[in-house]
Amino acid sequence: MGKHEIRLRRQRMAARGSDRFRNYSAVMKQHGEGKRIKLITRIFTFIFLIIALILVFVVVSRWEKKQTGSEQKTSQIEIVQTAS
Amino acid sequence: MTEDEIRKEQAIIERSKKDPQAFGELYEKHFDRIFNYILRQTDNDELTGDLCSQTFVNALNNLGKYEFRGFPFSAWLYKIAGNEVNKHYRKNKGKKIFSIEELKVRELVEQTTDTWDEELINRVIRYMNELPTDMIQVLELRFFEDKDFKEIAFILDMTESGAKMRTYRALDKLRTNFNLKVKYDG
């Protein structure tokens, strides 16, 4: 047996009428809402990316500062050791 | 569809890309066909209403990506509608329904006499229940929606030869199993 079921319809399709489901303003409304959600998602994604970039920048600059600080300390120790 | 009609439709599509209100004309033009196409695959008016409106919302949302590929605009709508129906069945894990008009079955097997053999029709329906779903989809578009094989291939995302092969195989079986004359055009 297939993954479908065949049903026989005695009357013609047109007789059933689709007019009560015809509503273009509802389609427009749904389209407008979808557009708004898309825009909001884009804005949030953009803000999130900016925050992530700032965080990466801060972490990298702190790490660099730390690196240069420890390098200075080791060179100072070396100077003191060679002087003594 | 004549070239002039296709050109006019393309002009409306281009207008609709800038102004969604213009899409209303295409909605009115294609609503009944798309509604009936979905209804044939659901047999449920309310569900069809929802899926049909979702089809047009999706079409409107993606209209910017639409480009003319030699098919009428309705083929693109059929494709979206088919995807919506499949999505519904995947989500609900239900058996796909094909609701076929008796008159169309009569046309398919070319039995035009008024005395319709109930037993024969039940056997044809039983036979169609045994066919693979993709074969039924092709048969439905070919004989109940009157689409050509090129359009069917586009709607169902298959090759034209694949669509032809499925149709001919199903019809060959129908002819041999039931000793019937069937509508057999390419």
Side-chain angles (χ1 to χ4, degrees), chain B residues 40-161:
Chain B
R40 279 199 187 96
Q41 297 179 66
T42 60
D43 202 29
N44 179 325
D45 285 8
E46 301 298 322
L47 175 64
T48 302
D50 288 346
L51 294 178
C52 192
S53 108
Q54 195 52 51
T55 298
F56 282 100
V57 171
N58 281 354
L60 198 50
N61 287 345
N62 294 296
L63 202 61
K65 292 177 201 161
Y66 173 80
E67 48 189 70
F68 181 66
R69 286 186 195 169
F71 303 106
F73 181 66
S74 63
W76 193 60
L77 291 175
Y78 272 94
K79 193 178 182 136
I80 298 173
N83 288 341
E84 279 305 313
V85 171
N86 289 340
K87 210 173 23 171
H88 164 77
Y89 281 112
R90 262 200 312 272
K91 204 173 155 190
N92 295 286
K93 293 184 178 104
K95 230 178 190 186
K96 194 164 183 175
I97 293 161
F98 289 96
S99 174
I100 297 169
E101 290 162 90
E102 189 185 311
L103 196 78
K104 293 282 183 181
V105 181
R106 275 185 194 222
E107 279 173 15
L108 176 70
V109 295
E110 288 187 350
Q111 182 164 349
T112 46
T113 52
D114 286 337
T115 47
W116 182 247
D117 184 355
E118 276 294 319
E119 176 50 32
L120 177 70
I121 199 163
N122 287 335
R123 274 175 58 214
V124 171
I125 296 298
R126 268 203 302 276
Y127 159 76
M128 287 175 103
N129 265 322
E130 298 296 328
L131 288 176
T133 308
D134 57 351
M135 228 179 227
I136 295 291
Q137 276 178 319
V138 175
L139 283 180
E140 187 205 8
L141 284 166
R142 182 75 192 102
F143 296 106
F144 307 141
E145 300 287 343
D146 289 319
K147 300 283 174 207
D148 61 36
F149 286 116
K150 233 181 192 173
E151 224 177 306
I152 294 171
F154 171 74
I155 294 168
L156 297 178
D157 258 330
M158 58 172 66
T159 59
E160 197 181 330
S161 55

Side-chain angles (χ1 to χ4, degrees), chain A residues 16-50:
Chain A
R16 296 177 67 136
S18 55
D19 281 349
R20 70 191 169 103
F21 298 102
R22 192 190 295 266
N23 187 353
Y24 188 58
S25 55
V27 170
M28 280 287 287
K29 200 179 159 193
Q30 226 175 313
H31 168 67
E33 277 169 15
K35 235 176 154 183
R36 212 171 307 131
I37 291 169
K38 224 177 184 177
L39 183 72
I40 292 168
T41 316
R42 266 189 199 165
I43 291 170
F44 270 104
T45 314
F46 182 72
I47 292 170
F48 176 78
L49 276 175
I50 296 284

Side-chain angles (χ1 to χ4, degrees), chain B residues 21 38 42:
Chain B
Q21 202 68 48
I38 298 174
T42 60

